[in-house]
Amino acid sequence: MQTTKISSVRFPVRPSPTEYLSSSIIHSSSIWEKPLPLPPGMRLYHGNPSKAKARLGMAPSSRFSLTPSAFHLDLLSQPLAAPFRKDLFELDCDNVLENEEENPAPDGGTLAWLHAFAGHLITFNAQGLNMSYGIFQAYYGNVLTPDKSPAQIAWIGSIQIFLLFFMSIVVSPLVDKGHFRFCFNGGSLLLFLSVLLNSFCKQWWQLILVQGVMTGAAMGLAFGSGVVCLMSYFSKRMGLATGIAAAGSSTGGVVFPLIAEKLIFKIGYAWTMRVLALVVLLTLIPANIIARQRPAMKKKGPPQMDWGVFSDVPFMLLAAGMFFAFWGIELGFYYIVAYGQSALHVSSSKAINLLITMNAANLPGRFIPNLISDTCIGPLNTIVPSTFLASMMIYLWIGSSTYTSLIVVSAFYGFASAGLLSLYNATIFSFAPVTEKRGIRLAMVFSVIGLACLTGSPVGGALIDKDTGGYLYLQLFAGTSILVGALLFLAARLVRSGWGPMRV
């Protein structure tokens, strides 16, 4: 059977990923080569398809497609039922076809793993600061804004993490249209400025605007665009790559509290925040140097709504499970410091050590479940037991009446919660079979998660007030919410794949 193959590729000097042509053909065993007239502004990579693919940022195994005048012809494997006719082809760059299957992710290599490292740095700042909010919750309640209730103070952190997830609705289509630099670089700069401005805040409403709204929006811009960029470089190793990136929240959750613990009572709140701003700046600079958008990420036209999602029962169960799981998962990180100080009456240093222990144990929890997911059972099968275990740890928190027992519970809870916090991206992607709709589905679930995070912490604070300063109601709410999320994940797995052993 005779086949056609690419031997040269044309595209503009400043190409978009959909503007290229093949004008040379290898027909049978003899070379037939007669390039079409080269328009102004076009460059010809003659006889070197691998170089052309590299210029386009495509993997060596990627496939090119061309739109002829009357029909689509795959130039790599289309059988020739008739002699080749040059007149069937038109010089029309806008009609060239390209999709993810034709341009697969590199799934490895120096540039791809550098993006995993860049993802670690951006998550170190975006989610690491939020994972450290327990320090601010306790400090604001005891020192900076002692007249405010725990629920009012919790709104600062909940608005922050809500915007981190909700901004994906804005970021995803912007990145699709080629505005990755605006989102990523702009979000990184805004994040640094917001932490710096936080040092000048002295009142609750100022903290809401700066640490809540401004910092949250910056996190959403940088984190949302960074996640989309990272995922475009991986496919089979997605779990490991996202695990490396997600581990940044654990390292940030250790580094930022350690800095705050050592400095806040020595040089004051304002200068401590300026030191944290310097750390943010120094860690975001290499991330912004490394990160670059793959050409295959850019898409023409407005994003298409995935209306079929509402009839996709497994996906709807997954989205509901994400809401309930994230409704309670952050409460341990937000309130463990305040609990240590008010319930166990330990020093500020020991109370902060509870949060540091939780985040330190969260670090291996970002890698081990991801390795299991990639090599054995898949992301959903990994999230289900992790979420059940996190719920059990919250219930054990109720019975932890000594500092030692609370340290142990904090460590196990930090490890167990990492399965959910590191694999939710990969799990959502696994429930989006149509490649073009993955961004929409990711944005939809991010919005659901954002709403859960927006309301979860203030509800926990209100339950503390309802319990006259006790934490039992908060603990029951958090444990039950996570448990419901785990049950919904299990239901999604059963509806999609049944009880049988299967990678999901």
Side-chain angles (χ1 to χ4, degrees):
M1 181 179 290
Q2 296 174 336
T3 61
T4 58
K5 297 181 180 180
I6 293 176
S7 68
S8 65
V9 176
R10 285 181 182 154
F11 51 86
V13 176
R14 295 181 179 179
S16 76
T18 57
E19 295 176 339
Y20 57 84
L21 285 177
S22 171
S23 62
S24 299
I25 305 297
I26 298 177
H27 186 201
S28 300
S29 59
S30 62
I31 297 180
W32 185 96
E33 194 171 277
K34 187 177 181 180
L36 296 171
L38 190 66
M42 301 286 284
R43 179 182 297 166
L44 179 66
Y45 277 83
H46 176 70
N48 192 345
S50 61
K51 185 176 181 181
K53 292 176 184 179
R55 176 68 177 84
L56 287 167
M58 300 171 69
S61 60
S62 59
R63 305 171 63 197
F64 290 85
S65 291
L66 173 72
T67 301
S69 59
F71 60 92
H72 300 317
L73 178 63
D74 186 331
L75 292 178
L76 284 183
S77 59
Q78 175 67 37
L80 290 177
F84 179 78
R85 291 176 55 193
K86 181 180 68 177
D87 61 298
L88 291 177
F89 292 86
E90 292 181 348
L91 189 63
D92 185 358
C93 296
D94 290 334
N95 289 332
V96 177
L97 301 178
E98 183 184 42
N99 56 43
E100 187 174 326
E101 284 74 19
E102 295 171 340
N103 185 14
D107 207 32
T110 302
L111 185 59
W113 291 116
L114 280 174
H115 276 78
F117 173 69
H120 182 95
L121 293 178
I122 195 64
T123 310
F124 172 91
N125 291 284
Q127 291 195 342
L129 281 169
N130 191 268
M131 295 280 280
S132 307
Y133 186 74
I135 294 178
F136 300 107
Q137 178 77 26
Y139 183 81
Y140 295 159
N142 294 328
V143 181
L144 197 61
T145 57
D147 57 320
K148 301 299 179 182
S149 68
Q152 289 175 303
I153 297 172
W155 276 110
I156 301 170
S158 63
I159 290 173
Q160 184 183 94
I161 195 170
F162 163 74
L163 288 174
L164 188 154
F165 286 107
F166 196 76
M167 283 294 291
S168 62
I169 296 177
V170 177
V171 169
S172 182
L174 285 176
V175 172
D176 284 347
K177 292 182 178 180
H179 301 297
F180 169 75
R181 283 294 171 196
F182 169 78
C183 296
F184 191 72
N185 298 142
S188 299
L189 178 61
L190 188 62
L191 182 56
F192 162 69
L193 293 176
S194 65
V195 178
L196 184 62
L197 289 175
N198 204 6
S199 65
F200 299 98
C201 296
K202 297 180 180 179
Q203 299 182 37
W204 178 79
W205 67 268
Q206 295 172 335
L207 294 169
I208 285 284
L209 291 177
V210 176
Q211 191 171 4
V213 177
M214 185 177 177
T215 304
M219 289 176 173
L221 285 170
F223 177 74
S225 57
V227 166
V228 174
C229 179
L230 170 64
M231 289 190 168
S232 70
Y233 281 87
F234 291 92
S235 56
K236 293 181 180 179
R237 298 177 178 177
M238 178 81 73
L240 178 58
T242 55
I244 293 172
S249 63
S250 302
T251 54
V254 172
V255 172
F256 288 121
L258 279 173
I259 294 174
E261 178 194 3
K262 300 298 181 183
L263 297 181
I264 198 165
F265 293 110
K266 293 182 179 179
I267 62 176
Y269 171 78
W271 278 104
T272 299
M273 294 305 300
R274 289 162 195 157
V275 172
L276 295 182
L278 179 62
V279 174
V280 170
L281 177 64
L282 294 178
T283 51
L284 285 179
I285 287 176
N288 280 263
I289 293 174
I290 293 170
R292 62 193 66 180
Q293 185 176 18
R294 287 186 69 227
M297 291 173 60
K298 301 177 185 177
K299 302 173 185 176
K300 290 188 174 182
Q304 297 181 354
M305 178 59 188
D306 185 8
W307 296 109
V309 68
F310 298 105
S311 59
D312 188 342
V313 176
F315 183 81
M316 296 303 291
L317 288 170
L318 176 73
M322 290 291 178
F323 176 86
F324 282 100
F326 276 90
W327 211 18
I329 203 74
E330 297 288 343
L331 295 180
F333 295 93
Y334 276 28
Y335 288 101
I336 193 67
V337 176
Y339 177 84
Q341 290 178 333
S342 61
L344 299 185
H345 307 290
V346 299
S347 65
S348 298
S349 178
K350 283 189 172 183
I352 292 174
N353 285 338
L354 292 170
L355 180 61
I356 293 173
T357 300
M358 192 176 288
N359 284 322
N362 196 259
L363 182 58
R366 301 276 179 164
F367 288 102
I368 296 175
N370 288 67
L371 289 173
I372 294 173
S373 169
D374 276 0
T375 59
C376 300
I377 60 178
L380 182 61
N381 285 336
T382 309
I383 272 186
V384 171
S386 297
T387 313
F388 272 114
L389 183 59
S391 174
M392 291 174 55
M393 291 302 106
I394 291 290
Y395 288 127
L396 288 176
W397 180 14
I398 298 174
S400 301
S401 56
T402 65
Y403 182 74
T404 302
S405 63
L406 193 56
I407 281 283
V408 174
V409 170
S410 297
F412 277 98
Y413 178 74
F415 179 85
S417 62
L420 172 66
L421 295 174
S422 63
L423 281 171
Y424 66 91
N425 278 324
T427 305
I428 297 167
F429 263 54
S430 70
F431 273 71
V434 180
T435 300
E436 291 78 9
K437 304 295 179 64
R438 283 179 174 175
I440 293 295
R441 290 201 173 195
L442 186 67
M444 292 172 66
V445 181
F446 269 25
S447 302
V448 170
I449 293 173
L451 289 173
C453 294
L454 176 66
T455 56
S457 298
V459 167
L463 290 173
I464 293 175
D465 292 336
K466 186 73 174 178
D467 198 19
T468 61
Y471 285 78
L472 178 61
Y473 295 168
L474 176 144
Q475 293 162 333
L476 290 173
F477 167 73
T480 304
S481 177
I482 299 171
L483 178 61
V484 171
L487 292 172
L488 287 168
F489 291 151
L490 181 60
R493 196 259 191 236
L494 295 179
V495 172
R496 187 182 188 189
S497 306
W499 286 101
M502 182 181 295
R503 180 187 175 94
V504 182

